[in-house]
């Protein structure tokens, strides 16, 4: 995530957009801290470790919390969460 943000900030600077890198860095670290707290809360509630970028992990967590959750499938049979 940090690398992607750096590339976006660099592109913005090249295009002439003023970028406060200190503020952007603080926001990014705050986001990462909150993201980790949410991941740990899901683990506490469901007992499932999730990767927020892994739809299958999110589907497993939802099913662990409530087995009645109907999670649609893709045409290939994979879980589909939007």
């Amino acid at each position: 995530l940090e690398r992607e943000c750096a590339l976006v900030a660099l592109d913005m600077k090249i295009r002439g957009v003023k970028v406060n890198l200190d503020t952007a860095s603080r926001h990014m670290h705050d986001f990462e801290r909150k993201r980790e707290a949410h991941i740990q809360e899901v683990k506490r509630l469901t007992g499932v470790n999730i990767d927020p970028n892994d739809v299958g992990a999110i589907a497993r967590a939802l099913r662990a919390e409530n087995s009645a959750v109907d999670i649609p499938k893709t045409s290939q049979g994979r879980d589909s969460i939007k």
Side-chain angles (χ1 to χ4, degrees):
L1 179 64
E2 191 167 327
R3 182 178 176 280
E4 291 172 14
C5 289
L7 292 175
V8 170
L10 178 61
D11 186 51
M12 290 171 68
K13 283 185 105 73
I14 290 169
R15 293 172 187 257
V17 176
K18 291 183 181 181
V19 178
N20 184 324
L21 294 178
D22 292 332
T23 300
S25 179
R26 279 196 317 271
H27 285 299
M28 187 173 59
H29 291 295
D30 186 46
F31 168 78
E32 289 171 356
R33 184 183 51 76
K34 288 178 182 178
R35 177 180 178 262
E36 186 59 34
H38 290 303
I39 291 169
Q40 293 305 316
E41 182 69 2
V42 169
K43 166 75 172 168
R44 186 185 70 76
L45 292 171
T46 67
V48 177
N49 279 320
I50 66 160
D51 172 356
N53 300 319
D54 179 359
V55 172
I58 295 169
R60 286 189 298 279
L62 289 170
R63 285 191 192 104
E65 181 65 18
N66 182 352
S67 61
V69 172
D70 182 34
I71 299 173
K73 301 283 186 184
T74 66
S75 59
Q76 291 84 23
R78 296 187 183 118
D79 292 318
S80 175
I81 298 174
K82 295 181 181 180

